[in-house]
Amino acid sequence: MPKVTVRYWAAAKAAAGIAEEPYDAVTLADALAAVRERHPGELARVLLRCSFLVDGGPVGTRGHETVRLAEGGTVEVLPPFAGG
């Protein structure tokens, strides 16, 4: 199972209380399920409004279960930014 780094930005970082953390996940859906399990409070709610980058590429409207993760990859969690 690939080991990936999930990086949190802005409100997601505040809700997680940490800037990044490692996860073992095959797909983006798996990684986000693990994030929700580890952080069931505010971060789980923030994720509903977030966009995601996987290894620098936008996920867009693709189903999270179809986005495969690579060993050593990165998932960026991007909440809406004020003014942006």
Side-chain angles (χ1 to χ4, degrees), residues 30 41 54 59 83-84:
D30 296 335
V54 173
V59 171

Side-chain angles (χ1 to χ4, degrees), residues 27-50:
T27 67
L28 178 58
D30 296 335
L32 294 177
V35 169
R36 287 183 188 98
E37 185 175 318
R38 190 178 290 176
H39 302 279
E42 181 62 20
L43 182 56
R45 289 185 288 280
V46 170
L47 290 177
L48 297 172
R49 301 184 312 269
C50 288

Side-chain angles (χ1 to χ4, degrees), residues 12-83:
K13 181 178 175 181
I18 191 167
E20 64 182 46
E21 57 191 345
Y23 284 93
D24 295 333
V26 174
T27 67
L28 178 58
D30 296 335
L32 294 177
V35 169
R36 287 183 188 98
E37 185 175 318
R38 190 178 290 176
H39 302 279
E42 181 62 20
L43 182 56
R45 289 185 288 280
V46 170
L47 290 177
L48 297 172
R49 301 184 312 269
C50 288
S51 299
F52 304 96
L53 298 177
V54 173
D55 296 333
V59 171
T61 60
R62 289 183 288 161
H64 295 168
E65 67 282 352
T66 69
V67 180
R68 300 201 50 91
L69 303 176
E71 178 69 31
T74 303
V75 174
E76 307 279 349
V77 180
L78 306 169
F81 291 90

